[in-house]
């Protein structure tokens, strides 16, 4: 019998990447945006995530009326295809103006650029109809402790959030922490940091978070604990599921690919917190292996979605009464084996 569930899924255009890495060129030809939309729909996904310039390419060269026109045209295409825009995120790590960071750059002109770019991102989100902005604070950190003040940077981040909160009274901001890459140390490495920052803003209720499994693992944390922590604040507004093989470069592997048990525990955490029941999406921030052939281009997304749903079944079928009994008896040895047997199946 097919599993009854409430989950809705999405991915971003960057998740159909061409395979370029710092050591080699693309290995798959670029695909048109329409092709990506078509794939999304065909494979049972419901929404797309956007960077501001995925929605309006070459954003920095365009005027406000142009941006509005292009964003509204995209909205019509999405409506026709029946696809919801889950989030829009300002791409604050690509421009020459963000070499030294965006909101925390040492150059006031660059900080001004970052804020203005973020306002444009908010405008685009409103044109597309979503109220959720994702902030992956990619370059907010420093290579040298002596080059920036961490205290001042925290204040600048709060100031930037306050400016954005004042710019539009309805949007919400989900901070996506990542401890490193492209920086060696980022200023907002974990969910605890993200939610603490939210408390310093003028409107903490409109500042929440997005957890990415790989980012939590890179911070040496268990993503399931990050999920429970964020949900205790009612602030998990989106999630990027994927996997990561230890403290290496950000791998964005298929969900469950490296550690099925860690994936299982993330699904259990999402289930016990009722994630998705307020309309939140399960986003799969996964990338194809560089070896992936063009004809297998969707496999990492399709497989991650399938693994997620199979783990939902596993989470629901887990013998919770037995587990409670073992916990009461402090028999964690048997509990451990109960989980393993359950995951291995008969
Ligand atoms: C990189 C991040 C990135 C963000 C995306 C949305 O490590 O995971 O993919 O999720 O740019 O802001
Ligand atoms: Mg991500």
């Amino acid at each position: 019998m097919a599993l009854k569930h409430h989950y809705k899924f999405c991915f971003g255009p960057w998740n159909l990447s061409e395979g370029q890495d710092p050591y080699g060129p693309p290995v798959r030809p670029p695909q048109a945006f329409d092709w990506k939309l078509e794939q999304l729909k065909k494979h049972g996904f419901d929404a797309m995530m956007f960077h501001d310039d995925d929605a309006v390419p070459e954003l920095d060269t365009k005027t406000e009326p142009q941006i509005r026109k292009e964003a509204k045209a995209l909205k019509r295409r999405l409506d026709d295809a029946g696809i919801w825009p889950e989030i829009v995120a300002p791409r604050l790590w690509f421009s020459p103006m963000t070499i030294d960071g965006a909101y925390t750059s040492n150059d006031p002109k660059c900080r001004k650029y970052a804020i203005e770019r973020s306002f444009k991102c908010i405008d685009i989100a409103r044109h597309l109809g979503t109220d959720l902005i994702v902030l992956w604070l990619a370059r907010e950190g420093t290579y040298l402790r002596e080059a920036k003040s961490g205290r001042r940077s925290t204040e600048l981040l709060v100031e930037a959030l306050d400016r954005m909160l004042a710019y539009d009274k309805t949007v919400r901001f989900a901070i996506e922490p990542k401890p490193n890459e492209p920086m060696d140390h980022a200023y907002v490495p974990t969910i605890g940091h993200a939610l603490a920052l939210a408390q310093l803003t003028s409107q903490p209720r409109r500042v929440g978070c997005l957890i990415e499994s790989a980012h939590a693992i890179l911070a040496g944390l268990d993503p399931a604990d990050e999920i429970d922590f964020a949900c205790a604040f009612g602030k998990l507004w989106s999630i990027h599921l994927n996997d990561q093989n230890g403290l290496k470069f950000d791998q964005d592997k298929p969900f469950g690919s490296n550690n099925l048990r860690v994936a299982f525990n993330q699904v259990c955490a999402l289930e016990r917190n009722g994630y998705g029941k307020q309309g939140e999406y399960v986003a799969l921030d996964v990338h194809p292996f560089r070896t992936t052939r063009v004809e297998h281009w969707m496999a990492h997304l399709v497989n991650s979605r399938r693994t997620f749903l199979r783990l939902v079944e596993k989470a629901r079928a887990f013998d919770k009464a037995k587990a409670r009994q073992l916990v009461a008896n402090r028999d964690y040895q048997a509990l451990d084996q109960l989980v393993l047997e359950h995951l291995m199946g008969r």
Side-chain angles (χ1 to χ4, degrees):
M1 207 177 68
L3 171 75
K4 278 213 189 78
H5 69 86
H6 60 275
Y7 293 104
K8 293 181 296 179
F9 297 89
C10 70
F11 62 83
W14 65 89
N15 296 120
L16 290 168
S17 50
E18 287 103 43
Q20 180 165 15
D21 70 15
Y23 306 98
V27 288
R28 291 174 292 274
Q31 284 287 359
F33 177 71
D34 282 344
W35 181 85
K36 295 183 178 182
L37 269 190
E38 211 177 285
Q39 299 301 311
L40 183 136
K41 196 70 196 166
K42 197 163 100 192
H43 290 96
F45 289 81
D46 311 276
M48 190 166 249
M49 322 186 251
F50 290 94
H51 292 121
D52 49 7
D53 59 359
D54 294 324
V56 179
E58 290 168 50
L59 182 55
D60 284 339
T61 65
K62 292 179 180 164
T63 62
E64 194 275 322
Q66 269 174 312
I67 293 171
R68 188 181 341 125
K69 190 165 157 235
E70 287 185 35
K72 291 204 161 167
L74 172 61
K75 176 62 176 165
R76 283 192 294 277
R77 270 157 85 196
L78 293 176
D79 283 350
D80 288 349
I83 292 164
W84 180 252
E86 191 223 0
I87 58 104
V88 186
R91 197 194 295 275
L92 291 172
W93 52 92
F94 224 79
S95 156
M97 298 298 278
T98 57
I99 289 173
D100 186 33
Y103 309 129
T104 68
S105 170
N106 276 327
D107 181 342
K109 285 195 296 302
C110 294
R111 295 202 297 272
K112 184 163 180 279
Y113 164 84
I115 300 271
E116 282 166 5
R117 171 81 182 226
S118 306
F119 290 168
K120 287 183 192 173
C121 173
I122 294 171
D123 292 343
I124 292 171
R126 297 324 273 151
H127 297 318
L128 294 186
T130 179
D131 71 345
L132 192 55
I133 307 290
V134 166
L135 299 177
W136 170 42
L137 302 169
R139 294 193 191 278
E140 312 297 7
T142 180
Y143 303 103
L144 298 179
R145 257 53 243 156
E146 300 84 357
K148 276 187 190 178
S149 151
R151 166 72 190 259
R152 171 96 177 111
S153 295
T154 304
E155 288 161 4
L156 286 170
L157 287 169
V158 172
E159 193 182 307
L161 277 159
D162 281 345
R163 299 264 322 263
M164 292 187 265
L165 287 162
Y167 179 76
D168 183 298
K169 298 280 191 274
T170 57
V171 287
R172 295 174 298 145
F173 297 89
I175 299 175
E176 178 182 352
K178 181 178 181 183
N180 60 286
E181 205 195 28
M183 309 311 295
D184 56 350
H185 292 286
Y187 284 137
V188 185
T190 69
I191 292 302
H193 290 80
L195 297 187
L197 204 61
Q199 291 310 118
L200 286 183
T201 68
S202 58
Q203 300 217 27
R205 283 180 40 247
R206 290 206 279 137
V207 185
C209 68
L210 180 163
I211 291 169
E212 174 162 324
S213 327
H215 299 180
I217 295 166
L218 282 168
L221 302 173
D222 192 310
D225 287 345
E226 291 281 84
I227 292 171
D228 276 329
F229 185 81
C231 289
F233 286 75
K235 285 201 170 184
L236 184 58
W237 297 340
S238 185
I239 187 151
H240 286 180
L241 295 179
N242 55 17
D243 212 349
Q244 172 71 25
N245 184 10
L247 304 184
K248 300 183 164 60
F249 64 93
D250 185 17
Q251 297 171 318
D252 295 334
K253 284 183 160 186
F255 183 52
S257 158
N258 191 65
N259 192 330
L260 204 52
R261 187 175 184 170
V262 170
F264 171 69
N265 281 315
Q266 288 172 75
V267 173
C268 290
L270 292 173
E271 283 273 293
R272 72 174 152 261
N273 285 291
Y275 182 84
K277 292 192 171 157
Q278 312 293 326
E280 307 91 342
Y281 285 82
V282 173
L284 299 165
D285 200 356
V286 291
H287 280 271
F289 301 130
R290 192 159 189 266
T291 45
T292 303
R293 292 183 193 282
V294 171
E295 59 269 35
H296 306 143
W297 210 334
M298 279 295 292
H300 61 304
L301 288 157
V302 171
N303 293 344
S304 293
R305 179 178 179 281
R306 177 181 162 80
T307 303
F308 176 85
L309 288 174
R310 292 214 48 194
L311 288 174
V312 170
E313 280 180 61
K314 282 281 175 193
R316 292 181 187 173
F318 184 59
D319 190 344
K320 295 183 187 71
K322 178 81 188 162
R324 270 195 301 274
Q325 202 184 17
L326 295 172
V327 169
N329 197 26
R330 217 179 69 195
D331 190 355
Y332 296 172
Q333 214 67 67
L335 177 63
D336 187 35
Q337 193 61 17
L338 183 72
V339 175
L340 292 182
E341 297 286 345
H342 184 62
L343 288 178
M344 288 188 285
R346 289 281 149 212

